[in-house]
Amino acid sequence: KAGVTQTPRYLIKTRGQQVTLSCSPISGHRSVSWYQQTPGQGLQFLFEYFSETQRNKGNFPGRFSGRQFSNSRSEMNVSTLELGDSALYLCASSLFTADGYTFGSGTRLTVV
Amino acid sequence: TQLLEQSPQFLSIQEGENLTVYCNSSSVFSSLQWYRQEPGEGPVLLVTVVTGGEVKKLKRLTFQFGDARKDSSLHITAAQPGDTGLYLCAGEGGDGGATNKLIFGTGTLLAVQP
C-alpha cells in the first residue's frame, strides 16, 4: 500500500515569504502529525490533526499553522519565514497511535 | 518539560559486535517507540512497548521498557552495516499528558563498519 506522501521534497524560500507543505497520509489513517527536525533541536512536535480537528499543538509561534481536509490530507503553512525555519519537516500518519506512526520522507525547507 | 536523553550520542563499531543504546527520562510514558532514520528519509518504526518491564525481540534487536516506564534500551546483537543509521526513541503520553504526540529522544548515530 502507498505510504505517507509529502510534497514538495525540497524547497528554497526567501526570508519573509510564506510556504505551504502538503501531506497525504496512508489510506484509512485519520491522524496526521507534523514534526520539525533540525540538527540543533532534533525532532520537535508541531501539531496533530484528527478528523479535521487540531487535537494537539507544540510550542511553536503562531506563524506555524496547519489544517486537515475531509479526505485526511493535511497542509502546514509557515508565514513570514525566518532563517531558523530551515529544517526537515516531517509528516506522520497513524490508524491507532498506540501502534506507532508512519512517517513520510519529509520536505527539506531552506530559507535564504 | 519532558525530555528523553539517549546515550551514547555516537557509536562506531565493527561488523559482528554487540551494542546497547539507552533512552532515559524523569517522566513516565504510556508507551515508548523506537525508530531508525536514514539520511534524507523519515524515521521508520521499529517497535512499540507499552508495559513496564516488557521485552520485545525483532530478529537481532531486543527492546526493553523499564519497570517504571521511564527508560528503555535497544540491544543489537552481531551488528551489520545495514544497521547503520540514526536511532531515535520517542515517548507518548508523558506524565499522563496528551497522547497523539511524540517526545523524541536526542538520537544515537550508529555506524557499523564492514
Side-chain angles (χ1 to χ4, degrees), chain A residues 1-16:
Chain A
K1 62 182 178 184
V4 177
T5 303
Q6 291 189 244
T7 56
R9 283 297 306 269
Y10 303 92
L11 207 48
I12 300 176
K13 289 287 188 178
T14 304
R15 258 185 315 175

Side-chain angles (χ1 to χ4, degrees), chain B:
Chain B
T1 304
Q2 300 158 12
L3 293 173
L4 279 167
E5 296 286 339
Q6 286 184 237
S7 61
Q9 192 175 357
F10 302 100
L11 197 51
S12 180
I13 61 173
Q14 294 295 124
E15 182 176 0
E17 291 184 17
N18 302 332
L19 67 118
T20 302
V21 177
Y22 299 94
C23 174
N24 295 298
S25 176
S26 58
S27 297
V28 176
F29 289 95
S30 60
S31 75
L32 205 295
Q33 301 169 18
W34 283 91
Y35 292 82
R36 184 174 74 203
Q37 184 178 24
E38 298 188 16
E41 297 298 326
V44 175
L45 178 68
L46 297 174
V47 78
T48 300
V49 285
V50 297
T51 305
E54 183 176 3
V55 177
K56 279 192 174 179
K57 292 191 175 184
L58 186 68
K59 296 182 180 179
R60 294 177 294 101
L61 278 60
T62 301
F63 304 86
Q64 185 164 8
F65 201 12
D67 291 340
R69 290 186 288 130
K70 292 183 178 182
D71 54 85
S72 181
S73 64
L74 156 61
H75 182 80
I76 301 179
T77 302
Q80 299 177 359
D83 296 327
T84 293
L86 178 66
Y87 287 81
L88 294 156
C89 63
E92 193 166 35
D95 291 334
T99 55
N100 310 310
K101 65 180 272 190
L102 292 175
I103 305 298
F104 275 90
T106 47
T108 295
L109 188 59
L110 171 65
V112 182
Q113 312 297 333

Side-chain angles (χ1 to χ4, degrees), chain A residues 35-54:
Chain A
Y35 292 82
Q36 181 196 64
Q37 186 174 28
T38 60
Q41 299 298 318
L43 270 149
Q44 293 187 290
F45 173 78
L46 281 157
F47 27 67
E48 187 256 355
Y49 288 87
F50 183 87
S51 293
E52 303 178 66
T53 300
Q54 186 183 89

